[in-house]
Amino acid sequence: MNGGRGLGQSVVRSVRSVRVLGAVRGLQGLRAALRQRRTDAWGLPARGAERARVPGPVGEAEPLPGGGIVRFARSELRISVSVGGTVFWGWDGAEPLPSYALAGEPPEPDARARLEPDTDGGWRVVSERVTVAVSRHGAVEIRTPGGVLLRRDLPPRWWQPVAGGPARWVQRSEVPADARFFGLGGRASGPRLRNGTYALWNTDPKGGFSTGDDPLYLTMPVQFVVSDAGTHLAFHDNTWEGRVTLAEGEEGAGSGHDRPGTSEVRMAGGPLRCWVVVGTPARVLHGWAALTGAPALPPAWALGPQHARWGFGSAREVRRVVAGYRERGLPLSAVHLDIDHYDEHRVFTVDRERFPDLPGLAAELREQGVRLVSIVDPAVKAEPGNPVYDSGVGAGAFVRDPRGQEVRGVVWPGECAYPDFTDPGAREWWGGLYEERLGQGFSGFWHDMNEPVSFAPFGDMTLPRSARHALEGRGGDHREAHNVYGLAMARAGYEGLRRLRPDERPFLFTRSGWAGMQRYGGTWSGDVSTGWPGLRASLSLVLGLGLCGVPYSGPDVGGFDGSPSPELYLRWFQLGAWLPLFRTHAAIDAGRREPWEFGPEVLEHARAALVERERLRPYFVTLAQLARLTGAPYVRPVWWGVPEDRALRDCEDAFLLGDALLVAPVLTRGADRRAVRLPRGRWYDTATERVYEGPGQVLLDAPQSRIPVLARAGAVLPVRGEDGALELEAWAPAAGRTGGGLVVRDRGDGWEPAEVERYSTRLVEGRVVVERVTDVGVEVVRDLRVRVRGG
């Protein structure tokens, strides 16, 4: 999690690094690491002497629609408030664009709001949903319309090299004493981010990770802050390397003073600009999606169970595994092929000896309802005669160093070159390569090793910081491009697939990414370590990423790098069945992950989890559609609807699946009961239909056969009936209360617009009545079977 890793952890990291390099040309990795250091030694100018700077006292101001410009003695600040209440501020000419995070043009400013004088020589912008106050020394306060403080950003400080070059900066902020921090991308120690320092540099942790490891593959400068005063998201739009130091506040006892929570963002360069979105959690993520783009909609089959393994080895083994699922009556939607299906690990190739007819295998599996998904790594074997490399050279697609030489690193194929995905031409070239994958019969893609990785026995496993990138024509180096490399690769793949198969929704998920990556697909945990801490980290990652706007994610069920016990595997499997991406996966030397490999009892309980997942497939389809329409994640913290409930803010071992269900996974060894904290309202145990009243804590049975799942009273959710047809499951509302739910039907894997159906529940003379809500009123549900539970 935090800075200051112990000696033991450093030793473990070294062992992991040796293990990785032992598998792939360790000597080449050592040479690449030394070459990287030499390149940076002459490619990056020394910073030399620096001059510190702060804004200084306020001077004049220039009102503009939505805000204006406040000029200080040594800096200027631009403020803009949009019609929806989203706030932008940028120092020293920093504008919203260019930005890798934004989906398009920035939102229109609210013409009704303008800069006006405030007290004590400051300025303010008053809008319908937020008030922004700027002090005479450059502090920026975000307040509710009623004047309650949500966030106070203190005057920033810059360190400018005297000889010229990018300035590094620090921005300190204060939040209410009761506030809790979430977000910052994929953090194994979350979802609540406690006191400590969190790095902003996408990183392969060298072989595996657990709850104490930071950073990981996917970092974002996105803070989601929840307090009694309200909820807000703060995004520092800067792709450079940085770190965020968080400290929760403390409320004063009796007449004592409150100590506010604090955040300190330090960046090694780049613009100082920030977006703030305020409101309820649902409104905040709706505004965030409007700013950074609607989440990509996965095809319906990608919401089913998926099976991956590094080391299938042959088409025969793939057929054996798929047959094993079918013979045991286990649902399966997809099989993922890892790097071992490539010819000598070279991307966009096939080992013809082990997979002599891959298109035939794909067609055979598709007839059984199983799709093939291909891994895609960015590194291209730098070997003349390799068609992908030769075409990349011809397209001028590869990253170069300051002297114009091709940057080389070492990955699975050996010495490799790296496409510059920040170059539009390189993205177009790369997107066209997926035609080969589609021709092989693949239906989806997972991007791996795209932090990007270059194996090294010491230091960063990435490219030289001095490596040059196009950055959409602006030009720059890897210090600015590193964190968006995976995001830009996802864009290249997604746009290429849209061109190649315009009538089909692409299925793509990526190990690395950045703010806005949801436009192109989802993500997964990466190489989470096998063990109970890894299981807990899996849930943390999914919850935290959802609050950063990435709703589709999931872990490697069972862990990546070890052999789980039957109990651990089953509990991980039961958790995975309730997460958006439900995928088993393991390293080549970590054993199998098929449910029948763990004994007949595990197989029986895993089958129950799979059957329930398939029964709820229509609900997952609805959640996916609603995520695209509203930005709301499928998996939500239990405080989602009641962020003012402080006890729920500290609950990290349960989650809401949509509005209807509360899931309480078992995260500790040997547990057959567990405490669950409930939000307010009535809840039904879905296994026993026993009633519980919230808010409060209850103790629920958690036998090996299942984990506790509760349904909200009054909820309506779509499910598959026993005949496979769509039906409605309605949970009885409490007396005197009503309920309801939303349904979006599966219209195939194309681009048909979503049609949201609304349903309501109420009690009439002790009987549960379910009705469809239309623009003209309510009507009896005639086209769907309705099953009432809990009544």
Side-chain angles (χ1 to χ4, degrees), residues 541-556:
L541 286 160
V542 174
L543 281 166
L545 287 162
L547 294 175
C548 292
V550 185
Y552 184 86
S553 67
D556 283 346

Side-chain angles (χ1 to χ4, degrees), residues 46-70:
R47 293 192 65 86
E50 295 180 315
R51 181 180 295 113
R53 172 169 59 89
V54 295
V58 71
E60 61 181 8
E62 178 185 350
L64 297 168
I69 300 173
V70 182

Side-chain angles (χ1 to χ4, degrees), residues 117-420:
D118 200 4
T119 58
D120 196 27
W123 295 83
R124 67 179 182 180
V125 181
V126 180
S127 71
E128 181 179 357
R129 294 181 177 170
V130 68
T131 295
V132 185
V134 181
S135 78
R136 60 193 179 95
H137 290 293
V140 179
E141 293 184 353
I142 307 295
R143 296 182 175 271
T144 69
V148 179
L149 180 68
L150 292 173
R151 184 181 191 89
R152 185 169 191 260
D153 294 304
L154 302 175
R157 181 182 293 269
W158 296 266
W159 286 268
Q160 187 78 44
V162 173
R168 57 189 180 93
W169 53 261
V170 60
Q171 172 72 68
R172 297 184 175 92
S173 308
E174 295 177 349
V175 297
D178 66 285
R180 295 289 182 262
F181 295 100
F182 303 86
L184 295 182
R187 304 288 167 170
S189 57
R192 173 183 162 195
L193 302 178
R194 288 167 169 78
N195 298 353
T197 297
Y198 302 84
L200 297 172
W201 187 255
N202 293 346
T203 303
D204 181 348
K206 299 183 180 180
F209 70 89
S210 190
T211 51
D213 293 329
D214 186 88
L216 299 179
Y217 314 96
L218 206 166
T219 67
M220 296 184 199
V222 178
Q223 298 178 30
F224 198 102
V225 186
V226 184
S227 68
D228 288 352
T231 302
H232 74 273
L233 180 152
F235 166 52
H236 289 85
D237 193 353
N238 183 310
T239 67
W240 284 63
E241 182 176 11
R243 66 178 189 264
V244 179
T245 302
L246 302 176
E248 293 181 345
E250 184 176 343
E251 292 180 297
S255 59
H257 293 292
D258 288 352
R259 178 173 59 81
T262 61
S263 163
E264 180 185 272
V265 179
R266 288 182 176 268
M267 289 290 185
L272 175 45
R273 57 184 178 178
C274 185
W275 292 90
V276 179
V277 190
V278 303
T280 64
R283 183 181 291 276
V284 166
L285 282 182
H286 187 264
W288 179 240
L291 184 68
T292 60
L297 186 64
W301 62 262
L303 298 170
Q306 305 178 48
H307 188 90
R309 192 203 307 162
W310 178 14
F312 272 121
S314 68
R316 179 180 179 181
E317 177 67 3
V318 171
R319 288 188 174 95
R320 186 194 70 81
V321 170
V322 173
Y325 273 87
R326 186 176 63 253
E327 291 163 2
R328 293 168 177 83
L330 304 177
L332 182 64
S333 289
V335 170
H336 298 209
L337 299 189
D338 210 318
I339 55 174
D340 51 292
H341 86 279
Y342 282 132
D343 181 14
E344 297 182 344
H345 297 152
R346 294 179 301 169
V347 67
F348 299 116
T349 65
V350 176
D351 185 328
R352 302 290 181 180
E353 182 176 337
R354 292 185 293 171
F355 292 87
D357 182 15
L358 195 50
L361 174 65
E364 173 189 327
L365 296 183
R366 188 157 187 157
E367 288 181 0
Q368 303 173 40
V370 178
R371 267 76 168 184
L372 277 184
V373 175
S374 172
I375 192 172
V376 176
D377 288 355
V380 176
K381 185 174 181 62
E383 180 180 64
N386 173 6
V388 176
Y389 176 71
D390 291 344
S391 66
V393 171
F398 295 121
V399 175
R400 296 184 174 274
D401 66 21
R403 294 175 176 172
Q405 301 298 308
E406 196 176 85
V407 170
R408 299 283 180 88
V410 176
V411 199
W412 302 114
E415 191 168 76
C416 293
Y418 296 80
D420 181 6

